């Protein structure tokens, strides 16, 4: 059964497990949802769902991984309780993780993959590294552009969330859970619908083209609402309260857990859409952890993936999109599930290699410093 701390629902291991699930969903989304990006086109699949390819159907659902941004809001709120919030430290940690991958893979991309055959229908995939400019390099290095890797767009949304967290926390700390949930709903509507409409008014100078308006108002829609919902849940222990209610009503068991996942997949894909992700995510977290803690093997596997999830997010698209030899390896079977397994394994292994590389650099640097001191 799922373990639970006395004072909080999500432990560090719980968070890593959910990150492990999130990275699998992300890899599924990018590998299965975009046939025009794949060498040889769509992968093979066995059945259709509601007239749609099953892999595209589940692949599109996989984008819910971004809405697990909820955990970021939850974790930042819990970790900052009773402490001063250090924005600089948070941003430093985020950018160091980003730069660790950037400084390895981007040079490799331009040295070895600047001239590739047209292996897919989407030309921006195979010729992405066809021309190098320092301006573009610096913009990507700072996270102001994702022209080197389109799947790195999430960095910008997370930076926005980190910067605005103190303001959101101050607002939420003053209100009840019900009011905060209402604020999340209102914020989702305003950011997703009202702000783009206002930004398009020519008399206001077409704000949608303004860099600050894009970065701080439009960039996180609709996923920033999930971050806010995570803050609200942490502040009032909503996850533990939902879980206790589900236990009381005997709604925590493998059958119900799977039913919840099936309902969310259907509602998100065929009914309510992604705007309700901030509602889906708490129930997916509770049901997922309930299942995972029943099987030690699955729990250990997801923990391993969760520990490497940031690197895997930053690395995997080079393997399934941008580096043609790697793409051929990943898709060699031409079947969806084996290709996904290969992408998970190779992304994980390369993530470990990145960590070992920088540990080696740090060790050598420390040794050099010691020698110079003597």
């Amino acid at each position: 059964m799922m373990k639970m701390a006395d004072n909080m629902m999500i432990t560090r291991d719980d968070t890593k497990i959910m990150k492990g699930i999130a990275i699998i969903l992300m890899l599924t989304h990018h590998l299965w949802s975009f046939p025009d990006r794949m060498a040889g086109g769509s992968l093979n699949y066995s059945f259709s769902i509601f007239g749609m390819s099953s892999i595209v159907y589940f692949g599109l659902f996989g984008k819910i991984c971004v809405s697990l941004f909820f955990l970021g809001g939850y974790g930042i709120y819990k970790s900052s309780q009773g402490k001063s919030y250090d924005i600089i430290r948070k941003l430093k940690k985020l950018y160091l993780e980003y730069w660790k991958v950037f400084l390895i893979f981007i040079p490799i991309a331009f040295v070895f993959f600047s001239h590739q055959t047209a292996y897919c229908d989407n030309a921006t995939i195979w010729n992405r590294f066809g021309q190098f400019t320092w301006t573009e390099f610096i913009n990507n290095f700072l996270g102001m552009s994702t022209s080197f890797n389109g799947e790195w767009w999430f960095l910008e949304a997370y930076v926005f969330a980190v910067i605005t967290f103190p303001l959101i926390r101050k607002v939420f700390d003053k209100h009840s859970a019900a009011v905060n949930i209402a604020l999340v709903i209102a914020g989702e509507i305003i950011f997703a619908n009202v702000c783009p409409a206002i930004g398009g008014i020519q008399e206001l100078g077409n704000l949608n083209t303004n860099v600050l308006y894009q970065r701080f108002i439009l960039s996180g829609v609709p996923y920033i609402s999930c971050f806010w919902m995570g803050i609200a849940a942490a502040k009032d222990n909503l996850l533990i309260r939902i879980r206790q209610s589900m236990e009381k009503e005997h709604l925590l068991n493998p059958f119900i857990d799977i039913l919840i996942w099936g309902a969310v997949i259907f509602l998100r894909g065929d009914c309510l859409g992604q705007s309700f992700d901030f509602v889906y995510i708490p129930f997916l977290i509770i049901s997922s952890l309930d299942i995972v803690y029943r099987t030690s093997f699955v729990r250990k596997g997801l923990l391993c993936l969760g520990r490497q999830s940031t690197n895997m997010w930053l690395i995997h698209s080079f393997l399934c999109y941008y580096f043609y030899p790697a793409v051929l390896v990943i898709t060699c079977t031409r079947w969806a599930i084996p290709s996904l397994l290969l992408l998970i394994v190779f992304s994980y292994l390369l993530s470990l290699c990145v960590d070992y590389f920088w540990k080696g650099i740090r060790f050598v640097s420390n040794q050099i410093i010691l020698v110079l001191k003597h």
Side-chain angles (χ1 to χ4, degrees), residues 103 113 121 157 171 227 233 242 333:
L103 291 173
F113 302 102
D121 293 336
V171 172
F227 184 84
I242 293 172
T333 68

Side-chain angles (χ1 to χ4, degrees), residues 105-324:
F105 280 83
I106 297 306
I108 289 174
F110 279 103
V111 171
F112 297 104
F113 302 102
S114 58
H115 301 288
Q116 302 187 92
T117 183
Y119 56 84
C120 68
D121 293 336
N122 191 332
T124 61
I125 296 297
W126 50 264
N127 70 358
R128 180 150 298 202
F129 305 104
Q131 184 177 3
F132 177 86
T133 67
W134 279 108
T135 300
E136 187 178 28
F137 181 88
I138 293 170
N139 280 333
N140 278 267
F141 183 76
L142 296 177
M144 296 296 102
S145 172
T146 58
S147 60
F148 287 167
N149 190 316
E151 288 60 54
W152 288 353
W153 66 268
F154 181 68
L155 176 70
E156 191 174 273
Y158 197 79
V159 168
F160 169 77
V162 167
I163 292 173
T164 57
F165 170 75
L167 173 63
I168 302 301
R169 179 178 64 177
K170 189 171 184 178
V171 172
F172 281 15
D173 280 344
K174 292 180 179 179
H175 298 99
S176 66
V179 172
N180 287 336
I181 292 173
L183 289 173
V184 171
I185 295 171
E188 166 69 17
I189 294 170
I190 292 170
F191 275 71
N193 300 101
V194 179
C195 290
I198 293 174
I201 298 174
Q202 294 299 321
E203 288 75 11
L204 296 178
N206 194 12
L207 288 172
N208 287 339
T209 63
N210 181 279
V211 174
L212 290 176
Y213 198 77
Q214 288 177 347
R215 296 288 191 269
F216 287 93
I217 303 298
L218 304 180
S219 64
V221 177
Y223 308 107
I224 195 66
S225 61
C226 292
F227 184 84
W228 295 338
M229 189 63 182
I231 298 171
K235 185 249 177 182
D236 288 293
N237 288 321
L238 295 182
L239 287 177
I240 197 168
R241 288 160 62 179
I242 293 172
R243 184 181 187 277
Q244 287 174 342
S245 295
M246 291 178 70
E247 280 187 319
K248 183 178 179 180
E249 299 299 325
H250 307 290
L251 295 176
L252 275 184
N253 58 70
F255 176 76
I256 297 295
D257 296 335
I258 294 171
L259 193 62
I260 288 172
W261 267 89
V264 171
I265 291 171
F266 173 76
L267 290 173
R268 196 177 193 272
D270 297 275
C271 188
L272 301 177
Q274 65 183 10
S275 294
F276 279 77
D277 281 359
F278 70 92
V279 177
Y280 307 145
I281 291 299
F283 292 96
L284 287 184
I285 290 173
I286 293 168
S287 60
S288 297
L289 292 175
D290 183 63
I291 292 176
V292 167
Y293 273 104
R294 296 173 186 272
T295 311
S296 61
F297 174 77
V298 173
R299 182 173 71 251
K300 291 176 182 177
L302 289 172
L303 275 170
C304 289
L305 293 180
R307 294 187 185 104
Q308 298 298 324
S309 59
T310 300
N311 279 354
M312 291 176 69
W313 155 48
L314 295 168
I315 290 169
H316 77 277
S317 50
F318 292 106
L319 303 182
C320 65
Y321 291 161
Y322 303 121
F323 293 176
Y324 184 43

